[in-house]
Amino acid sequence: MSEDLPPLPPGFDDDDDEPRRLLIVEDDAAFARTLTRSFERRGYLVHNASNLAEVQALLGEYTPGYAVVDLKLAGGDSGLACVQALHAHDEDMLIVVLTGYASIATAVEAIKLGALHYLAKPSNTDDIEAAFGRAQGDVTVELTERQTSIKTLEWERIHEMLAATDFNISETARRLGMHRRTLARKLGKHRIK
């Protein structure tokens, strides 16, 4: 195995004839193709889905050991619902959530629903595969003395409400007592590309 690649996750070795089965749940077709090609070069058998209905249909015939799930999917589907369905299907599945809308609230919910890790975009195949290999917590992570600003609190409250409304922007704006365009503008400013 190449020295620059992260180690294989627990339960897999180089001599294993069984391919590592991966499901990518991503509605951005170009990004999904890029991830698919990259993981296939690393020996994964990859299937793709772009929404919750496709995930549920695939689970009838395919049981992946790994999943990469985008948090916000087209058509109003929530990646959190996909995480919940995948975890219910197989509690041992290693699930990594990717998002351009990172927040503490959605990270906590993703982990509670069965995700192993939560990564902010842009993340690449190395980042995702490394996350698959880190099933245990790390008590040596440095604790920072960061002060929480009003903007950070507002951002986290917005994301908490987005998660509660399954990313329905109109309903989130209504619950937060702000105009929909104001919320859309705030989301546009903070989106991680």
Side-chain angles (χ1 to χ4, degrees):
M1 183 168 228
S2 172
E3 288 182 26
D4 13 336
L5 294 178
L8 289 173
F12 290 94
D13 58 45
D14 290 329
D15 301 327
D16 205 353
D17 290 335
E18 183 70 26
R20 294 170 283 171
R21 298 165 154 260
L22 171 68
L23 174 62
I24 296 175
V25 184
E26 171 65 62
D27 60 350
D28 179 340
F31 184 59
R33 274 192 310 275
T34 301
L35 278 181
T36 297
R37 283 193 305 266
S38 184
F39 275 107
E40 285 175 343
R41 281 192 299 270
R42 293 176 185 222
Y44 288 82
L45 176 63
V46 182
H47 279 68
N48 290 280
S50 62
N51 58 45
L52 181 58
E54 289 178 16
V55 167
Q56 291 169 329
L58 270 171
L59 290 178
E61 59 191 52
Y62 178 73
T63 299
Y66 306 87
V68 177
V69 180
D70 187 16
L71 185 64
K72 187 175 180 191
L73 301 169
D77 280 352
S78 166
L80 294 175
C82 293
V83 169
Q84 184 177 39
L86 291 167
H87 185 69
H89 182 74
D90 180 0
E91 290 183 2
D92 294 328
M93 188 183 308
L94 302 178
I95 305 167
V96 172
V97 173
L98 291 181
T99 184
Y101 298 92
S103 76
I104 292 172
T106 54
V108 168
E109 292 307 315
I111 300 303
K112 282 188 201 176
L113 292 168
L116 173 66
H117 276 284
Y118 180 98
L119 300 174
K121 289 181 182 177
S123 292
N124 61 30
T125 309
D126 290 335
D127 299 331
I128 296 165
E129 198 167 44
F132 286 146
R134 290 191 316 263
Q136 300 299 316
D138 182 1
V139 296
T140 63
V141 170
E142 186 178 330
L143 303 176
T144 62
E145 295 286 329
R146 182 178 69 99
Q147 293 282 331
T148 302
S149 69
I150 296 294
K151 286 185 178 184
T152 301
L153 291 173
E154 176 189 46
W155 185 237
E156 289 178 1
R157 179 67 178 141
I158 287 170
H159 280 281
E160 180 182 11
M161 196 56 63
L162 277 168
T165 63
D166 286 331
F167 294 90
N168 181 318
I169 292 178
S170 296
E171 180 61 17
T172 299
R174 187 189 68 73
R175 289 185 187 185
L176 292 172
M178 69 173 61
H179 195 279
R180 185 184 189 289
R181 282 189 226 147
T182 302
L183 177 59
R185 189 175 61 249
K186 287 177 183 288
L187 292 173
K189 283 182 183 178
H190 291 282
R191 182 163 189 200
I192 300 170
K193 305 213 179 202

Short mmCIF file of all heavy atoms in Angstrom, two decimals, residues 57-89:
data_model
loop_
_atom_site.label_atom_id
_atom_site.label_comp_id
_atom_site.label_asym_id
_atom_site.label_seq_id
_atom_site.Cartn_x
_atom_site.Cartn_y
_atom_site.Cartn_z
N ALA A 57 -34.07 2.93 -2.24
CA ALA A 57 -34.18 1.94 -3.31
C ALA A 57 -32.89 1.11 -3.41
O ALA A 57 -32.95 -0.12 -3.55
CB ALA A 57 -34.48 2.62 -4.64
N LEU A 58 -31.74 1.76 -3.31
CA LEU A 58 -30.46 1.04 -3.39
C LEU A 58 -30.27 0.08 -2.23
O LEU A 58 -29.69 -1.00 -2.40
CB LEU A 58 -29.30 2.03 -3.41
CG LEU A 58 -28.83 2.52 -4.76
CD1 LEU A 58 -27.83 3.65 -4.61
CD2 LEU A 58 -28.22 1.40 -5.57
N LEU A 59 -30.74 0.46 -1.04
CA LEU A 59 -30.53 -0.38 0.13
C LEU A 59 -31.27 -1.71 0.03
O LEU A 59 -30.94 -2.65 0.74
CB LEU A 59 -30.93 0.36 1.41
CG LEU A 59 -30.01 1.51 1.80
CD1 LEU A 59 -30.53 2.21 3.06
CD2 LEU A 59 -28.58 1.04 2.00
N GLY A 60 -32.25 -1.81 -0.87
CA GLY A 60 -32.94 -3.07 -1.07
C GLY A 60 -32.06 -4.11 -1.74
O GLY A 60 -32.28 -5.31 -1.59
N GLU A 61 -31.04 -3.66 -2.47
CA GLU A 61 -30.20 -4.60 -3.23
C GLU A 61 -28.71 -4.47 -2.96
O GLU A 61 -27.92 -5.26 -3.44
CB GLU A 61 -30.46 -4.40 -4.72
CG GLU A 61 -30.15 -2.99 -5.18
CD GLU A 61 -30.63 -2.69 -6.58
OE1 GLU A 61 -31.82 -2.94 -6.85
OE2 GLU A 61 -29.82 -2.22 -7.37
N TYR A 62 -28.31 -3.50 -2.16
CA TYR A 62 -26.89 -3.19 -1.98
C TYR A 62 -26.66 -2.74 -0.55
O TYR A 62 -27.38 -1.88 -0.04
CB TYR A 62 -26.53 -2.06 -2.97
CG TYR A 62 -25.12 -1.54 -2.91
CD1 TYR A 62 -24.06 -2.30 -3.41
CD2 TYR A 62 -24.84 -0.28 -2.41
CE1 TYR A 62 -22.77 -1.81 -3.40
CE2 TYR A 62 -23.55 0.22 -2.40
CZ TYR A 62 -22.51 -0.55 -2.89
OH TYR A 62 -21.24 -0.06 -2.88
N THR A 63 -25.69 -3.34 0.13
CA THR A 63 -25.37 -2.93 1.49
C THR A 63 -23.93 -2.45 1.52
O THR A 63 -23.00 -3.25 1.51
CB THR A 63 -25.56 -4.09 2.49
OG1 THR A 63 -26.92 -4.49 2.46
CG2 THR A 63 -25.20 -3.65 3.90
N PRO A 64 -23.74 -1.13 1.52
CA PRO A 64 -22.38 -0.60 1.56
C PRO A 64 -21.80 -0.68 2.98
O PRO A 64 -22.54 -0.68 3.97
CB PRO A 64 -22.57 0.85 1.14
CG PRO A 64 -23.97 1.19 1.51
CD PRO A 64 -24.75 -0.09 1.41
N GLY A 65 -20.49 -0.74 3.05
CA GLY A 65 -19.82 -0.67 4.35
C GLY A 65 -19.47 0.77 4.69
O GLY A 65 -19.18 1.09 5.83
N TYR A 66 -19.51 1.63 3.65
CA TYR A 66 -19.13 3.04 3.79
C TYR A 66 -20.16 3.89 3.07
O TYR A 66 -20.74 3.47 2.07
CB TYR A 66 -17.77 3.30 3.12
CG TYR A 66 -16.66 2.42 3.60
CD1 TYR A 66 -16.42 1.19 3.01
CD2 TYR A 66 -15.83 2.82 4.64
CE1 TYR A 66 -15.39 0.37 3.44
CE2 TYR A 66 -14.80 2.02 5.07
CZ TYR A 66 -14.58 0.79 4.47
OH TYR A 66 -13.57 0.00 4.91
N ALA A 67 -20.31 5.12 3.55
CA ALA A 67 -21.19 6.07 2.86
C ALA A 67 -20.63 7.48 3.05
O ALA A 67 -20.11 7.83 4.11
CB ALA A 67 -22.61 6.00 3.40
N VAL A 68 -20.73 8.27 1.98
CA VAL A 68 -20.41 9.70 2.01
C VAL A 68 -21.71 10.41 1.67
O VAL A 68 -22.29 10.17 0.61
CB VAL A 68 -19.32 10.06 0.98
CG1 VAL A 68 -19.06 11.55 0.98
CG2 VAL A 68 -18.03 9.28 1.26
N VAL A 69 -22.18 11.25 2.57
CA VAL A 69 -23.50 11.87 2.42
C VAL A 69 -23.37 13.39 2.47
O VAL A 69 -22.85 13.94 3.44
CB VAL A 69 -24.46 11.39 3.54
CG1 VAL A 69 -25.82 12.03 3.39
CG2 VAL A 69 -24.57 9.87 3.56
N ASP A 70 -23.88 14.05 1.42
CA ASP A 70 -23.95 15.51 1.42
C ASP A 70 -25.10 15.91 2.35
O ASP A 70 -26.16 15.27 2.35
CB ASP A 70 -24.20 16.02 0.00
CG ASP A 70 -24.11 17.54 -0.10
OD1 ASP A 70 -23.56 18.19 0.81
OD2 ASP A 70 -24.59 18.08 -1.11
N LEU A 71 -24.90 16.95 3.13
CA LEU A 71 -25.91 17.35 4.11
C LEU A 71 -27.16 17.94 3.46
O LEU A 71 -28.28 17.64 3.86
CB LEU A 71 -25.31 18.37 5.08
CG LEU A 71 -26.19 18.80 6.25
CD1 LEU A 71 -26.50 17.63 7.15
CD2 LEU A 71 -25.50 19.89 7.04
N LYS A 72 -26.97 18.77 2.44
CA LYS A 72 -28.11 19.43 1.81
C LYS A 72 -28.25 18.92 0.39
O LYS A 72 -27.37 19.10 -0.44
CB LYS A 72 -27.92 20.94 1.80
CG LYS A 72 -29.13 21.69 1.31
CD LYS A 72 -28.94 23.17 1.45
CE LYS A 72 -30.18 23.88 0.94
NZ LYS A 72 -29.98 25.29 0.78
N LEU A 73 -29.37 18.27 0.11
CA LEU A 73 -29.60 17.66 -1.20
C LEU A 73 -30.68 18.43 -1.95
O LEU A 73 -31.55 19.07 -1.34
CB LEU A 73 -30.02 16.20 -1.02
CG LEU A 73 -29.00 15.32 -0.29
CD1 LEU A 73 -29.61 13.98 0.08
CD2 LEU A 73 -27.75 15.14 -1.14
N ALA A 74 -30.64 18.35 -3.27
CA ALA A 74 -31.65 19.03 -4.10
C ALA A 74 -33.03 18.45 -3.82
O ALA A 74 -33.17 17.31 -3.37
CB ALA A 74 -31.31 18.86 -5.58
N GLY A 75 -34.04 19.25 -4.11
CA GLY A 75 -35.41 18.79 -3.90
C GLY A 75 -35.85 18.84 -2.46
O GLY A 75 -36.88 18.28 -2.10
N GLY A 76 -35.04 19.44 -1.60
CA GLY A 76 -35.43 19.58 -0.21
C GLY A 76 -35.08 18.40 0.68
O GLY A 76 -35.36 18.41 1.87
N ASP A 77 -34.47 17.35 0.12
CA ASP A 77 -34.09 16.21 0.95
C ASP A 77 -32.92 16.59 1.86
O ASP A 77 -32.03 17.35 1.49
CB ASP A 77 -33.67 15.01 0.08
CG ASP A 77 -34.85 14.24 -0.47
OD1 ASP A 77 -35.99 14.52 -0.06
OD2 ASP A 77 -34.62 13.34 -1.30
N SER A 78 -32.94 16.05 3.05
CA SER A 78 -31.90 16.31 4.02
C SER A 78 -30.95 15.12 4.09
O SER A 78 -31.38 13.97 4.16
CB SER A 78 -32.53 16.53 5.40
OG SER A 78 -31.54 16.47 6.41
N GLY A 79 -29.65 15.42 4.08
CA GLY A 79 -28.66 14.37 4.28
C GLY A 79 -28.81 13.71 5.63
O GLY A 79 -28.45 12.55 5.80
N LEU A 80 -29.35 14.45 6.61
CA LEU A 80 -29.56 13.86 7.94
C LEU A 80 -30.54 12.69 7.87
O LEU A 80 -30.36 11.67 8.53
CB LEU A 80 -30.05 14.92 8.93
CG LEU A 80 -29.06 16.03 9.26
CD1 LEU A 80 -29.70 17.08 10.16
CD2 LEU A 80 -27.78 15.48 9.88
N ALA A 81 -31.59 12.83 7.04
CA ALA A 81 -32.54 11.73 6.87
C ALA A 81 -31.86 10.53 6.19
O ALA A 81 -32.15 9.38 6.52
CB ALA A 81 -33.75 12.19 6.05
N CYS A 82 -30.95 10.81 5.27
CA CYS A 82 -30.19 9.73 4.62
C CYS A 82 -29.29 9.02 5.64
O CYS A 82 -29.20 7.80 5.64
CB CYS A 82 -29.36 10.27 3.47
SG CYS A 82 -30.34 10.88 2.08
N VAL A 83 -28.62 9.80 6.49
CA VAL A 83 -27.77 9.21 7.54
C VAL A 83 -28.61 8.30 8.42
O VAL A 83 -28.22 7.17 8.74
CB VAL A 83 -27.07 10.32 8.38
CG1 VAL A 83 -26.42 9.72 9.62
CG2 VAL A 83 -26.05 11.07 7.54
N GLN A 84 -29.77 8.78 8.82
CA GLN A 84 -30.65 7.99 9.68
C GLN A 84 -31.06 6.68 8.99
O GLN A 84 -31.02 5.61 9.61
CB GLN A 84 -31.89 8.81 10.03
CG GLN A 84 -32.82 8.12 11.00
CD GLN A 84 -33.99 9.01 11.38
OE1 GLN A 84 -34.53 9.74 10.54
NE2 GLN A 84 -34.37 8.97 12.64
N ALA A 85 -31.42 6.74 7.72
CA ALA A 85 -31.83 5.53 6.98
C ALA A 85 -30.66 4.57 6.82
O ALA A 85 -30.82 3.35 6.98
CB ALA A 85 -32.39 5.92 5.61
N LEU A 86 -29.48 5.09 6.52
CA LEU A 86 -28.31 4.23 6.34
C LEU A 86 -27.92 3.56 7.66
O LEU A 86 -27.62 2.36 7.69
CB LEU A 86 -27.13 5.05 5.80
CG LEU A 86 -27.27 5.54 4.36
CD1 LEU A 86 -26.22 6.59 4.05
CD2 LEU A 86 -27.18 4.38 3.39
N HIS A 87 -27.94 4.32 8.74
CA HIS A 87 -27.59 3.76 10.05
C HIS A 87 -28.62 2.71 10.49
O HIS A 87 -28.25 1.69 11.07
CB HIS A 87 -27.47 4.87 11.09
CG HIS A 87 -26.98 4.40 12.42
ND1 HIS A 87 -25.70 3.96 12.64
CD2 HIS A 87 -27.62 4.29 13.60
CE1 HIS A 87 -25.57 3.60 13.90
NE2 HIS A 87 -26.73 3.79 14.51
N ALA A 88 -29.89 2.96 10.21
CA ALA A 88 -30.93 1.99 10.56
C ALA A 88 -30.75 0.70 9.74
O ALA A 88 -31.01 -0.40 10.24
CB ALA A 88 -32.31 2.57 10.31
N HIS A 89 -30.29 0.83 8.51
CA HIS A 89 -30.07 -0.34 7.64
C HIS A 89 -28.90 -1.18 8.13
O HIS A 89 -28.96 -2.41 8.10
CB HIS A 89 -29.84 0.12 6.20
CG HIS A 89 -29.65 -0.99 5.23
ND1 HIS A 89 -30.68 -1.78 4.80
CD2 HIS A 89 -28.53 -1.47 4.63
CE1 HIS A 89 -30.21 -2.69 3.96
NE2 HIS A 89 -28.91 -2.51 3.84
#
